Amino acid sequence: MVNTLVTPTRLAPLAATIALAVAFLAGCTTSTAPDGATPPPEARTLTVFAAASLTSAYEQLAEIFEEGHEGVTVSLNLGGSSGLVTQIQEGAPADVFASADEANMAKLVQAGLAAGEPRLFASNRLQIAVPVGSAAGVASLADLATPGIRLVICAPEVPCGAASVAVAELAGVTLIPVSEESAVTDVLGKVRSGEADAGLVYVTDVLGAAGEVEGIAFPEADAVVNHYPIVAVEGASQAELAEEFIALVLSERGQAILAEAGFGEPGA
Amino acid sequence: MTDRLGATQRARPTERARVTDRVRRADRALEYRGLPPWIWPVAAAGALLIVLPLAAMTLRVDWPGFWGLVTSEGALAALGLSLRTAVLSTLICIVLGVPMALVLARSRFPGQSLLRALVLLPLVLPPVVGGLALLYTLGRNGFIGQWLEAGGIQIVYTTTAVVLAQVFVSLPFLVLSVEGSLRVAGRGHEQIAATLGARPSRVLTHVTVPILLPALVTGAVLAFARALGEFGATLTVAGSLEGVTRTLPLQVYLVRETDPDQAVALSLVLVAVAIVIMLVAHRPTRWAGERL
């Protein structure tokens, strides 16, 4: 019985397809620069691990950095600070680490993974967030203790949760949450969708969700401030670029962008 | 010339058994199993992919402090909540799932295959998506939720939401298991019972249910396992509050960065439960016509 797969009529189109594919791939390889021209800058990637609350500010800073450094791509890994520290400890390739509080930065330093001294670059305070047009009657921190109010806060294990607990203790208010989330973005999400009557989030989160949530400031927030430190990671593959990025964050331009996003002065 | 059968026939009764056994073993040795040698390394690689991470986790466990970690306040609350809700969810799955399986296996109506696909959807749907769907149904501004809230009934952020989320994701396991067994069993026994004068309800309780009992047990055990491990839907629709909605997977998620030892210890508890469940649910049974 003739094997129909390898008869000439079947083989020719197959061979043609293979030949075309090879030619296509060959044509796709990067061409060498014409003689006499300077070679294109080496493509480098700077990996920045930053707290989730820094999302909008750092996206802007990343763009500025890429514009100022040809061939460099800034890869942002945004998430909960404690999760990021764990990732770096387990060997994730980070060049820069920006934390939402000093406790998590201390963990990195203790593990011997910080190249140099961490520097403070911003600060953040808590604010009460309520859905737009909410009729729940929340106007102060004390109102959050009213039974029947659906309050969502961060779990004490995460930075914003620790701050919430501290703030409540200072004010002598007993918070009765219906849910303790693992990330401040989850708290914000629940307030945004109207599933929660109130949530304790950062000032920057309220600004970032402008129009969808309303922020209510309270005096005790000034007493519990989260300081944001930044440091280059030990053993980073792009140590020089890391320092340059940190310089950008600490520069006037960087500080202006952070202030616009709602962050406070470093060390304030 | 004596053949094998001839040998067994002429032997004495006690020797007959021994010779038959030898014949059977020889039979098996000569049997072709359909396993070329290169299959083994590939299969081993697949098995390693699953076994190695579990082994790695077991190595990370803080054994001296294990008991203390597993019996901490948060862990015990989560464990108790998980067990209570998973058992309740499994019971609800049985009550709802058996009729569903019966209808899908035994009746025929237009749109049945589409309904079947929808009912089995939670099997492949990402749990978070399921949770969102439940939220948009039962939440404050939800499809049904707004009427419930107006009537003073709150579902989200309660243990009820946890149970509902678990039922949503584990119901298909039970329906699938029972429906499969019903299709294989056929209607013969029920028809005989009916001709003997039994009413439909009596046929159901006295004939059908005993037939589908093994599949029901398997399905219930799988549903229990799925309910116990449910995470995404619970987090989305029920939130996370100790003792109320923070089930064991949510507890692991919360402490995984701040107290990794507790997270690993609790994970090991879940793995141990899962192993026991799998041993029960997928116990080796003889497939129809299989020669072991």
Side-chain angles (χ1 to χ4, degrees):
Chain A
M1 191 175 96
V2 178
N3 189 340
T4 50
L5 201 60
V6 294
T7 49
T9 45
R10 285 276 193 116
L11 195 57
L14 182 66
T17 315
I18 293 174
L20 265 171
V22 170
F24 180 67
L25 284 168
C28 273
T29 52
T30 51
S31 49
T32 51
D35 294 296
T38 52
E42 193 187 303
R44 294 175 288 172
T45 309
L46 176 73
T47 312
V48 176
F49 278 29
S53 43
L54 293 161
T55 305
S56 60
Y58 267 46
E59 276 171 359
Q60 287 179 58
L61 287 168
E63 253 180 64
I64 296 171
F65 194 78
E66 282 174 0
E67 279 166 28
H69 294 76
E70 214 188 316
V72 172
T73 321
V74 178
S75 165
L76 286 173
N77 183 4
L78 301 152
S81 307
S82 46
L84 294 173
V85 172
T86 310
Q87 284 179 36
I88 300 175
Q89 282 173 323
E90 298 291 332
D95 298 310
V96 179
F97 175 55
S99 171
D101 66 357
E102 293 175 289
N104 280 302
M105 182 55 81
K107 273 201 272 178
L108 196 76
V109 172
Q110 253 176 30
L113 290 165
E117 277 294 305
R119 278 169 283 178
L120 297 177
F121 67 96
S123 62
N124 214 348
R125 286 164 178 69
L126 289 177
Q127 205 176 59
I128 302 172
V130 291
V132 170
S134 166
V138 174
S140 70
L141 194 61
D143 289 335
L144 296 181
T146 324
I149 293 278
R150 286 194 205 169
L151 172 69
V152 177
I153 60 174
C154 297
E157 285 82 353
V158 292
C160 72
S164 306
V165 167
V167 146
E169 255 173 68
L170 269 175
V173 171
T174 321
L175 297 176
I176 328 162
V178 289
S179 182
E180 291 172 354
E181 305 293 331
S182 302
V184 72
T185 37
D186 290 337
V187 177
L188 188 69
K190 291 206 152 78
V191 174
R192 237 181 187 149
S193 65
E195 288 304 331
D197 291 319
L200 274 173
V201 297
Y202 291 123
V203 170
T204 49
D205 295 314
V206 173
L207 266 172
E212 294 173 57
V213 295
E214 278 171 22
I216 300 170
F218 55 96
E220 293 85 356
D222 292 323
V224 180
V225 179
N226 270 347
H227 297 287
Y228 284 49
I230 190 171
V231 81
V233 177
E234 181 70 41
S237 56
Q238 303 290 345
E240 212 185 277
L241 281 178
E243 293 297 339
E244 284 172 34
F245 186 82
I246 295 175
L248 173 64
V249 169
L250 294 168
S251 71
E252 231 181 82
R253 199 171 175 198
Q255 292 292 298
I257 290 175
L258 287 161
E260 215 187 296
F263 288 96
E265 302 261 308
Chain B
M1 185 157 101
T2 53
D3 61 350
R4 288 194 315 222
L5 257 81
T8 44
Q9 277 167 357
R10 259 179 273 148
R12 287 196 301 276
T14 46
E15 242 191 74
R16 193 180 299 165
R18 249 181 283 136
V19 176
T20 321
D21 194 44
R22 223 184 297 143
V23 162
R24 212 177 278 142
R25 265 185 276 133
D27 228 355
R28 247 180 274 155
L30 293 170
E31 207 178 77
Y32 179 67
R33 284 186 190 274
L35 287 177
W38 54 263
I39 281 259
W40 290 93
V42 181
L48 276 176
L49 184 61
I50 297 186
V51 172
L52 277 181
L54 294 173
M57 199 175 65
T58 317
L59 289 170
R60 273 285 190 111
V61 172
D62 173 24
W63 290 110
F66 184 78
W67 190 248
L69 288 166
V70 164
T71 52
S72 67
E73 201 190 309
L76 281 178
L79 188 62
L81 182 70
S82 273
L83 286 173
R84 285 197 311 270
T85 50
V87 166
L88 189 57
S89 304
T90 310
L91 289 173
I92 295 175
C93 281
I94 293 175
V95 167
L96 293 177
V98 170
M100 282 166 70
L102 281 164
V103 165
L104 285 173
R106 292 280 164 83
S107 71
R108 194 167 293 169
F109 53 85
Q112 186 177 18
S113 40
L114 180 64
L115 184 68
R116 185 168 183 274
L118 287 175
V119 158
L120 296 178
L121 201 62
L123 271 177
V124 291
L125 203 65
V128 164
V129 174
L132 274 178
L134 283 168
L135 188 65
Y136 293 147
T137 311
L138 302 164
R140 188 181 255 171
N141 306 312
F143 192 59
I144 301 176
Q146 47 186 334
W147 307 111
L148 290 171
E149 301 259 344
I153 306 171
Q154 181 191 334
I155 305 250
V156 289
Y157 303 129
T158 62
T159 315
T160 312
V162 177
V163 172
L164 282 172
Q166 289 177 352
V167 171
F168 185 85
V169 298
S170 48
L171 193 56
F173 285 89
L174 196 122
V175 171
L176 209 58
S177 179
V178 173
E179 190 203 349
S181 127
L182 282 171
R183 282 183 192 271
V184 166
R187 277 175 265 204
H189 296 274
E190 281 91 339
Q191 285 170 339
I192 293 170
T195 58
L196 291 172
R199 302 185 145 278
S201 295
R202 194 180 164 84
V203 171
L204 182 68
T205 52
H206 285 67
V207 180
T208 316
V209 168
I211 289 175
L212 56 83
L213 217 49
L216 183 62
V217 169
T218 306
V221 163
L222 284 173
F224 177 79
R226 184 63 188 87
L228 199 66
E230 176 40 43
F231 171 77
T234 313
L235 190 62
T236 314
V237 70
S240 172
L241 194 67
E242 185 179 301
V244 178
T245 52
R246 193 174 291 156
T247 54
L248 208 55
L250 265 70
Q251 175 76 4
V252 171
Y253 181 62
L254 180 65
V255 299
R256 77 196 187 290
E257 289 153 7
T258 49
D259 189 0
D261 288 328
Q262 192 192 127
V264 173
L266 291 175
S267 304
L268 204 67
V269 170
L270 282 168
V271 167
V273 170
I275 289 178
V276 169
I277 286 175
M278 283 299 129
L279 283 172
V280 169
H282 286 285
R283 56 200 179 281
T285 49
R286 198 157 303 186
W287 294 85
E290 183 197 9
R291 286 172 60 203
L292 285 172

